[in-house]
C-alpha cells in the first residue's frame, strides 16, 4: 500500500472533491450582470469548458482557469496533473494552448523542496503541451492548491462547444472513469499501488492527442469530463444542445480498482454533491451508478459526432470508445440504458 504522505492529507475533502457544489455555482452565475459583447463567442451562460473571445475574423482566444488541492502524494506528479487538467479545457474547445499563468496557495511553513517539485512538474507538463508559462500569483493558505489559467488560440469557425450535439450522433469518451474514487481510496489508505499508478497515468495524459485526433473529423460537440462527473458534463451538453443523451453503462470503461473501491465505500464528497445536483435530470439506473457521478481530475473528452466518424475516431485514437448516443429531446436530459 502506498504511504499516505502529507500532500493528500493536507486536503479537507480529498482533492477536487473540495470543488464548490454545482448548485451554489448555478445560483451565483445567475446573479452576474450581463453586458453583451459581439466579440464574446462563448461566454459563461452555456457552462462550456472555456470562454472564447474573437480578436480578428481568423483568430480567437480560448481562456480557462483551474486549480485544486492535491489528488496524489507525489509533489511532481501533482503539479503535472494540475497542468494537464487546466490545459484540458482548451483542448475540449478544439483549441491550441499558447500561454499559462500559475496559481498557487501554499502554507507559510510548507516544505520548499516539495513546492519546487510541484512547480517543476507543472512547468514540464505545460512545456509538453507546447505552451509557455508567463507568470503567476501565490497566496499563503493552510490548504495547498495549485493550477493554471491557460490561454489558447482557435479559429472562430472551428470552436467545439457543448451545444452542437445532434440527434443520431454517437458519443465517444477518450479516457476511463474513476479518478475521484481512486484518490479517495488513496487518502483512506485503501488503494493498491498499481491502481493509484493507473489513475495517475491517466490524469497525466494530456488531451492534446485526443483533441488532434477528433479535429480530423466533423465533431458536432465536445466537452471534457472533470469535476461534475460524466453525468454532470453530459447534462450540460444535453441542455445546451436541446437533446437527450443516452448512456450505456455496459460500454463504459473504468480505471482498474475504481469499481471495487466504490463498492467498498470510497465515495468522494464531490460525488455526493454531483448526484444531489444532477440526479433529477436522469432516467434509469445502473450498477455503476456511483462512478457515473464521480468527479474526474484531468478526465477525457466527451465527443458527439456521426456514427461513421465515431468509428473513424476509434481507429485513429484507440483509447476512444463509444458509450452512448444522442436522441431527440424526450423526457429527461439523460437516460441510463
Ligand atoms: Co471542462
Ligand atoms: Co474547468
Ligand atoms: Co467545448
Amino acid at each position: 500500500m502506498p504511504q499516505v504522505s502529507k500532500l493528500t492529507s493536507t486536503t479537507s475533502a480529498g482533492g477536487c472533491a473540495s470543488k464548490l457544489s454545482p448548485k451554489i455555482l448555478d445560483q451565483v452565475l445567475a446573479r452576474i450582470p450581463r453586458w453583451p459583447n459581439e466579440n464574446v463567442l462563448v461566454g459563461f451562460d452555456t457552462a462550456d469548458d472555456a470562454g472564447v473571445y474573437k480578436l480578428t475574423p481568423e483568430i480567437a482566444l480560448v481562456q480557462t482557469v483551474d486549480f485544486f488541492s492535491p489528488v496524489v502524494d507525489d509533489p511532481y506528479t501533482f503539479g503535472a496533473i494540475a497542468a494537464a487538467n487546466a490545459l484540458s479545457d482548451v483542448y475540449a474547445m478544439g483549441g491550441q494552448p499558447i500561454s499559462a499563468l500559475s496559481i498557487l496557495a501554499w502554507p507559510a511553513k510548507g516544505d520548499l523542496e516539495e513546492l519546487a517539485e510541484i512547480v517543476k512538474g507543472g512547468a514540464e507538463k505545460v512545456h509538453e503541451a507546447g505552451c509557455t508559462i508567463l507568470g503567476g500569483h501565490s497566496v499563503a493558505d493552510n490548504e495547498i492548491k495549485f493550477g493554471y489559467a491557460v490561454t489558447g488560440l482557435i479559429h472562430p469557425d472551428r470552436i467545439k462547444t457543448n451545444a452542437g450535439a445532434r440527434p443520431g450522433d454517437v458519443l465517444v469518451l477518450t479516457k476511463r472513469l474513476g479518478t475521484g474514487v481512486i484518490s479517495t481510496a488513496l487518502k483512506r489508505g485503501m488503494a493498491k499501488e498499481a491502481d493509484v499508478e493507473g489513475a495517475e497515468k491517466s490524469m497525466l495524459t494530456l488531451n492534446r492527442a485526443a483533441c488532434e485526433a477528433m479535429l480530423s473529423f466533423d465533431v458536432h460537440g465536445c466537452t471534457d469530463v472533470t469535476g461534475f462527473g460524466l453525468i454532470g458534463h453530459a447534462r450540460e451538453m444535453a441542455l445546451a444542445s436541446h437533446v437527450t443523451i443516452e448512456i450505456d453503462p455496459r460500454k463504459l470503461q473504468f480505471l482498474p480498482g475504481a469499481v471495487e473501491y466504490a463498492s467498498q465505500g470510497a465515495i468522494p464528497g464531490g460525488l455526493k454533491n454531483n448526484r444531489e445536483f444532477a440526479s433529477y435530470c436522469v432516467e434509469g439506473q445502473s450498477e455503476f451508478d456511483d462512478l457515473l457521478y464521480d468527479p474526474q481530475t484531468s478526465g477525457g473528452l466527451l465527443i458527439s459526432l456521426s456514427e461513421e466518424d465515431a468509428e473513424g475516431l476509434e481507429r485513429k485514437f484507440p483509447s476512444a470508445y463509444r458509450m452512448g448516443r444522442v436522441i431527440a429531446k424526450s423526457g429527461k436530459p439523460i437516460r441510463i440504458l
Side-chain angles (χ1 to χ4, degrees), residues 135-157:
H137 184 71
S138 55
V139 293
D141 187 351
N142 286 336
E143 191 170 326
I144 299 169
K145 298 173 194 82
F146 183 65
Y148 292 92
V150 182
T151 298
L153 294 181
I154 197 165
H155 190 290
D157 300 338

Side-chain angles (χ1 to χ4, degrees), residues 19 48-50 64-67 85-86 88-89 224 226-227 233:
K19 197 174 171 93
D48 225 307
D49 300 293
T64 180
V65 56
D66 237 305
F67 63 103
N85 181 74
S88 174
D89 279 327
D224 58 350
T226 54
H233 293 281

Side-chain angles (χ1 to χ4, degrees), residues 17 19 24-25 36 49 57 95 97 120 136 139 171 180 191 202 211 217 231 251 263 294 329:
K19 197 174 171 93
I24 297 173
L25 200 59
D49 300 293
K120 186 178 170 204
V139 293
L171 284 173
S202 173
C211 173
F217 299 95
I231 287 195
K251 293 199 179 139
S263 73
D294 186 38
K329 191 173 166 183

Side-chain angles (χ1 to χ4, degrees), residues 26-299:
D26 256 22
Q27 287 173 16
V28 173
L29 286 178
R31 293 200 209 170
I32 301 178
R34 266 78 171 157
W35 293 279
N37 180 325
E38 58 180 18
N39 293 320
V40 176
L41 303 181
V42 180
F44 57 81
D45 278 324
T46 50
D48 225 307
D49 300 293
V52 183
Y53 187 93
K54 185 170 76 175
L55 294 177
T56 74
E58 270 84 46
I59 301 175
L61 292 179
V62 186
Q63 295 195 292
T64 180
V65 56
D66 237 305
F67 63 103
F68 49 73
S69 306
V71 287
V72 294
D73 286 322
D74 178 59
Y76 181 93
T77 308
F78 168 54
I81 289 171
N85 181 74
L87 290 156
S88 174
D89 279 327
V90 174
Y91 293 128
M93 305 302 283
Q96 186 194 335
I98 55 164
S99 68
L101 300 168
S102 55
I103 299 151
L104 170 72
W106 190 255
K109 290 181 180 157
D111 178 349
L112 282 185
E113 288 306 310
E114 240 170 37
L115 174 54
E117 284 296 299
I118 291 175
V119 173
K120 186 178 170 204
E124 292 193 346
K125 190 53 76 177
V126 169
H127 178 70
E128 182 189 326
C131 181
T132 302
I133 297 171
L134 300 179
H137 184 71
S138 55
V139 293
D141 187 351
N142 286 336
E143 191 170 326
I144 299 169
K145 298 173 194 82
F146 183 65
Y148 292 92
V150 182
T151 298
L153 294 181
I154 197 165
H155 190 290
D157 300 338
R158 290 181 213 136
I159 303 164
K160 310 300 174 192
T161 71
N162 59 17
R166 302 175 196 168
D169 278 0
V170 166
L171 284 173
V172 168
L173 188 57
T174 65
K175 284 188 186 180
R176 296 168 177 237
L177 297 169
T179 69
V181 161
I182 293 174
S183 288
T184 302
L186 167 69
K187 195 169 189 256
R188 295 194 190 158
M190 295 158 60
K192 289 188 215 95
E193 201 162 335
D195 295 338
V196 174
E197 278 167 11
E200 284 178 0
K201 197 174 161 213
S202 173
M203 292 187 282
L204 284 167
T205 303
L206 287 175
N207 279 329
R208 179 185 193 165
C211 173
E212 285 169 3
M214 84 168 171
L215 291 179
S216 37
F217 299 95
D218 179 20
V219 168
H220 300 152
C222 177
T223 188
D224 58 350
V225 177
T226 54
F228 299 145
L230 174 63
I231 287 195
H233 293 281
R235 169 188 168 273
E236 288 172 345
M237 187 181 266
L239 294 179
S241 304
H242 309 288
V243 295
T244 289
I245 283 178
E246 288 186 340
I247 295 172
D248 185 348
R250 287 163 303 249
K251 293 199 179 139
L252 284 173
Q253 296 183 12
F254 302 106
L255 289 162
V259 173
E260 184 190 339
Y261 301 137
S263 73
Q264 292 168 359
I267 304 298
L271 189 156
K272 292 173 198 158
N273 290 341
N274 287 345
R275 189 203 304 273
E276 194 190 316
F277 176 71
S279 61
Y280 79 92
C281 71
V282 180
E283 206 177 291
Q285 257 201 330
S286 91
E287 56 177 312
F288 306 118
D289 218 40
D290 283 331
L291 286 157
L292 303 189
Y293 292 97
D294 186 38
Q296 302 301 288
T297 299
S298 188

